[in-house]
Amino acid sequence: MTSNIKRNFALLLMILPGAIWLIVFKYLPMFGVVIAFKDFRYFPGGFINSLLKSDWVGFDNFKFLFSSSDAFIIVRNTICYNAVFILTGTILSVAFAIMLNEMTRKKLSKIYQTSMFFPYFLSWVIVSYFVYTFLSLDKGIVNNILVSLGMDKISWYSEPGKWPLLLVFINNWKNLGYSIVFYLAAICGIDKAYYESAMLDGATKWQQIKHITLPHLKPMIITLTILAIGRIFSADFGLFYNVPKESGPLFPVTNVIDTYVYRGLIKSGDVGMSTAAGLFQSFVGFILIMVTNGIVRKVDKENAIF
């Protein structure tokens, strides 16, 4: 074991910062899940003392998610949006990665890739103001264009029917560049000999993509999809909270588990309830990953995560 550590010391040193981050921010906080089963109250003496003195309430905190009349709406919105995000995100990411790879002018390809990657670094607060610039009722760019064409203005922030497509578009616009990086890296790792042999056999560009590129991308597509399914009960809080500007009329199509829990926490200050919601999301995500990976392992064992 000592010899293995010495031989791989440089590699272990490289992963050390990530390992420390994982332990500090992911594993150590796991002890706090006990709050989900307690009526957490603050007592003198710090967090540990408050945790010990708080009353044990069992699964009462979990009832918050399912006892409300909005339970069906928030679960439906969370699952449906994430399912659409996974589907559209995968298709667009693979398509754009292939197109960027097929561009002959690599400098232009880098410019396009950088342009698509840039929105990923913007916070949802900034994105929300960009969206508001376009959709504002009084001075929005879209409404100004509609008025110039002789059409009536649209009150975007009070018409829920238009927001599902808007949210899908905005999410893909912001995250597409980041997803492309994975698939573009996988494409660059494909042996060029496959394409050379295909060209000698007279294969068209589409045939090369269909029979060489896509099969080589299949393992990564499956892996990223399994991981994404594990987060299907966890919505992007910034997208659903900041972009719709907390507009009440939009709640039927923008209220998800994360925003619902946040509003409940702000109103009641119930830390146990929010912890229970997070634990529930993590538990369901774990089960979904195990089930999805099990299905993949039965169909195609080589492409399963474990």
Side-chain angles (χ1 to χ4, degrees):
M1 181 177 178
T2 305
S3 60
N4 288 333
I5 293 176
K6 290 181 178 179
R7 186 170 57 252
N8 300 306
F9 181 76
L11 296 175
L12 293 173
L13 195 63
M14 290 175 62
I15 68 171
L16 183 61
I20 294 175
W21 179 89
L22 193 67
I23 293 172
V24 173
F25 293 103
K26 296 296 182 179
Y27 283 96
L28 291 181
M30 289 180 66
F31 294 104
V33 299
V34 69
I35 298 176
F37 305 97
K38 288 203 166 193
D39 181 18
F40 187 79
R41 293 290 183 267
Y42 292 101
F43 294 95
F47 171 77
I48 300 298
N49 188 54
S50 300
L51 184 62
L52 294 174
K53 289 186 176 181
S54 297
D55 295 331
W56 187 273
V57 294
F59 290 95
D60 287 351
N61 287 325
F62 292 87
K63 296 178 181 178
F64 169 80
L65 283 175
F66 307 102
S67 61
S68 170
S69 59
D70 297 325
F72 172 75
I73 294 176
I74 61 175
V75 173
R76 178 203 64 188
N77 288 346
T78 305
I79 295 176
C80 291
Y81 275 120
N82 281 326
V84 175
F85 290 163
I86 293 171
L87 179 62
T88 58
T90 301
I91 293 173
L92 291 174
S93 299
V94 172
F96 275 94
I98 293 173
M99 286 189 286
L100 288 172
N101 183 69
E102 294 297 330
M103 291 184 65
T104 55
R105 299 177 62 181
K106 295 304 178 184
K107 288 185 178 180
L108 194 59
S109 173
K110 295 295 183 183
I111 294 174
Y112 289 149
Q113 184 180 347
T114 303
S115 301
M116 288 187 285
F117 199 18
F118 176 73
Y120 179 78
F121 295 101
L122 300 176
S123 71
W124 280 116
V125 176
I126 296 175
V127 172
S128 69
Y129 282 104
F130 282 163
V131 175
Y132 185 75
T133 301
F134 281 91
L135 303 183
S136 172
L137 180 62
D138 298 326
K139 300 179 181 179
I141 295 174
V142 174
N143 279 327
N144 287 339
I145 294 174
L146 293 176
V147 171
S148 66
L149 296 175
M151 302 171 67
D152 295 331
K153 291 183 177 181
I154 298 176
S155 181
W156 294 94
Y157 289 91
S158 60
E159 297 191 16
K162 295 178 171 57
W163 277 87
L165 287 177
L166 278 173
L167 291 173
V168 172
F169 172 79
I170 294 168
N171 180 77
N172 284 323
W173 171 79
K174 188 176 186 299
N175 296 311
L176 182 62
Y178 179 77
S179 302
I180 287 175
V181 173
F182 294 100
Y183 296 111
L184 195 57
I187 293 173
C188 292
I190 300 174
D191 192 343
K192 301 301 179 185
Y194 290 113
Y195 296 101
E196 294 172 0
S197 300
M199 286 188 288
L200 290 175
D201 291 337
T204 63
K205 186 61 68 176
W206 168 245
Q207 288 174 328
Q208 293 176 37
I209 293 172
K210 181 179 179 182
H211 297 290
I212 299 175
T213 307
L214 291 179
H216 278 84
L217 290 180
K218 180 181 175 182
M220 178 163 287
I221 293 174
I222 292 174
T223 299
L224 294 179
T225 300
I226 292 174
L227 295 177
I229 289 175
R231 298 190 298 270
I232 202 168
F233 261 78
S234 300
D236 192 327
F237 177 81
L239 171 64
F240 292 99
Y241 183 80
N242 290 300
V243 175
K245 294 292 184 184
E246 275 289 87
S247 177
L250 302 181
F251 280 0
V253 296
T254 61
N255 203 11
V256 291
I257 294 176
D258 298 74
T259 56
Y260 178 75
V261 171
Y262 174 77
R263 294 185 185 105
L265 178 62
I266 292 299
K267 292 179 181 178
S268 66
D270 192 342
V271 179
M273 170 269 298
S274 61
T275 306
L279 179 60
F280 171 75
Q281 290 175 308
S282 299
F283 178 76
V284 173
F286 171 75
I287 296 299
L288 289 174
I289 287 179
M290 297 299 293
V291 171
T292 308
N293 186 76
I295 295 173
V296 173
R297 189 169 60 243
K298 286 186 176 296
V299 176
D300 189 357
K301 188 176 182 179
E302 291 184 357
N303 290 322
I305 297 179
F306 51 85

